[in-house]
Amino acid sequence: VVDGFFDTNNFVGAVGTSADDWRQGWAFGFGGGEVGVVTSVSGCPAGTTTIAMVDGVTNTCQVSGRITSNLTLTEGNHYALSGAVFVGDDNADSATLNVEPGVVVYGSSGNDYLVVSRGSKIEANGTAAAPITFTSKQHVSDGVIDGLVNGEAGQWGGLVILGNGNSTKCPQDSSDCSLQVEGVQEGAVFGGTDDTDNSGTLRYVRVMHGGFEIAPDNESNGITFGAVGSGTTVEYLQVHKNADDGVEFFGGAVNAKYLVLTGIQDDSVDWDNGFKGNMQFVLVKHAADNSDANRGIEGDGDGGDGLDFSLPKLANITIVGNDFNTDETDSEGVLLRDQTGAYITNMLITGTSGMGECLEMDTDETVQGNLSDADIIITNSVIACAEAFKTPDGAVDLESWFTTSQSGNQLI
């Protein structure tokens, strides 16, 4: 993969040596389980409301409604989302939500979620020593450390970041594009023509216990990126125990580096709508207790009138599956579907003996064609799975394609 975004390295998977393990100290499960809150005398910032201390100790501030002027969530407090909280209006009354290192933001139910509107920004700049945490009330009510055992998937809504980038579902006649995010309050719209759009920064951020069920079998993502542009910075980001997808990219071209996706109950990484971003250093680990999981990566174009395919570039990916298996779904590796290409290198897919297929391509003619016309490339990668491939009748033989048509791959 040749692109200024990518760091050169010579290893397969998300992490090289223990000496440069970028997960340590901030990601939950990798030395980052304890999040302390620095004592502050500043109290709740203007634009928030003081409420009862959620844990009986830490000053707690409520955030609600629509934020139409810049707001900083200062350290030393917990912050409770009350309902759908919007940063800015749609490309109007734009504002920036600043989140200081070490801050904890929580929701109490699926009605509580944060939306960053088109034209507005979130600047969540944590550090390895003081990551920013978005989580559930159930988690923090007994303290961020002791209460962690109470945190489960689906306890609050999640994050929604909206941008002005391209989507194949936008009108193709140059008229304005406003695509509504499913399951989110009316007015949460995305799409446009600017793939360099800037929605701010997510750095050293952990999003935990989200994905509340909106309707039967329809839950919210940990983080929804709606046509977010490449001017946005996303790095050192973890989504943990989410009831739906971990991160989903609906079009746009945002790049992401140093991602940890743990215990995700649906697809850990999902893209569609013509997504064209880059990703590097991505770890997907399905739950160690063999509970709900689906695919490490699911990519498609997802229809629309636009003819562009999704075409992301990915490097240094590790996917570790588990034994979860039901009649409807199981733990799997990578599935590429209609209207997507992908350039992937230095990927490792492995898992327990009961894991489902590790690499699958849809029978859709667009995907099957991409296997031969070099719009799907997988190189320098390793598959170590009991069921390495799933090849339906009449489709390109994936084992032959992976081991002979692509370069540097290994099947173990």
Coordinates of all heavy atoms in Angstrom, one line a residue, residues 40-46 48 50 59 61 74-77 79:
S40 N -10.9 18.5 40.5 CA -10.9 19.8 39.9 C -11.8 20.7 40.8 O -12.8 20.3 41.4 CB -11.5 19.8 38.5 OG -11.7 21.1 38.0
V41 N -11.5 22.0 40.9 CA -12.3 22.9 41.6 C -13.1 23.8 40.7 O -13.8 24.7 41.2 CB -11.4 23.8 42.5 CG1 -10.7 22.9 43.5 CG2 -10.4 24.6 41.7
S42 N -13.1 23.5 39.4 CA -13.7 24.4 38.5 C -15.3 24.2 38.4 O -16.0 25.1 38.0 CB -13.2 24.1 37.1 OG -13.4 22.8 36.7
G43 N -15.8 23.0 38.9 CA -17.2 22.8 38.8 C -17.7 22.6 37.4 O -16.9 22.4 36.5
C44 N -19.0 22.6 37.2 CA -19.5 22.3 35.9 C -19.4 23.6 35.0 O -19.6 24.7 35.4 CB -21.0 22.0 36.0 SG -21.3 20.4 36.8
P45 N -18.9 23.4 33.8 CA -18.7 24.5 32.9 C -20.0 25.1 32.4 O -21.1 24.5 32.4 CB -18.0 23.9 31.7 CG -18.3 22.5 31.7 CD -18.5 22.1 33.1
A46 N -20.0 26.4 32.1 CA -21.2 27.1 31.6 C -21.7 26.3 30.3 O -20.9 25.9 29.5 CB -20.8 28.5 31.2
T48 N -23.6 23.6 30.9 CA -24.0 22.3 31.5 C -24.7 22.6 32.8 O -24.6 23.7 33.3 CB -22.8 21.4 31.7 OG1 -22.0 21.9 32.7 CG2 -22.0 21.2 30.4
T50 N -25.4 21.2 36.9 CA -24.9 20.3 38.0 C -26.1 19.4 38.4 O -27.2 19.9 38.6 CB -24.5 21.1 39.2 OG1 -23.4 22.0 38.8 CG2 -24.0 20.2 40.3
N59 N -18.0 15.2 40.9 CA -18.9 16.2 40.4 C -19.5 15.8 39.1 O -18.7 15.4 38.2 CB -18.2 17.5 40.3 CG -19.1 18.7 40.1 OD1 -20.0 18.9 40.9 ND2 -18.8 19.5 39.1
C61 N -22.1 16.7 35.7 CA -22.7 17.8 35.0 C -23.5 17.1 33.9 O -23.1 16.2 33.2 CB -21.6 18.7 34.3 SG -20.3 19.1 35.5
T74 N -14.6 20.1 30.9 CA -13.4 20.2 31.6 C -13.1 19.0 32.5 O -14.1 18.3 32.9 CB -13.4 21.4 32.5 OG1 -14.6 21.4 33.3 CG2 -13.4 22.7 31.7
E75 N -11.8 18.7 32.7 CA -11.5 17.5 33.5 C -12.0 17.7 35.0 O -12.3 18.8 35.4 CB -9.9 17.3 33.5 CG -9.1 18.6 33.8 CD -9.0 18.9 35.3 OE1 -9.3 18.0 36.1 OE2 -8.6 20.0 35.6
G76 N -12.1 16.6 35.7 CA -12.5 16.6 37.1 C -14.0 16.3 37.2 O -14.4 16.2 38.4
N77 N -14.7 16.3 36.1 CA -16.2 16.0 36.2 C -16.5 14.8 35.4 O -15.9 14.4 34.5 CB -16.9 17.2 35.6 CG -16.6 18.5 36.3 OD1 -16.5 18.6 37.5 ND2 -16.3 19.5 35.4
Y79 N -19.8 13.7 32.9 CA -20.8 14.4 32.2 C -21.9 13.4 31.7 O -21.6 12.3 31.1 CB -20.1 15.0 30.9 CG -19.2 16.1 31.3 CD1 -17.9 15.9 31.6 CD2 -19.7 17.5 31.5 CE1 -17.0 16.9 32.0 CE2 -18.8 18.5 31.9 CZ -17.5 18.2 32.2 OH -16.6 19.2 32.6

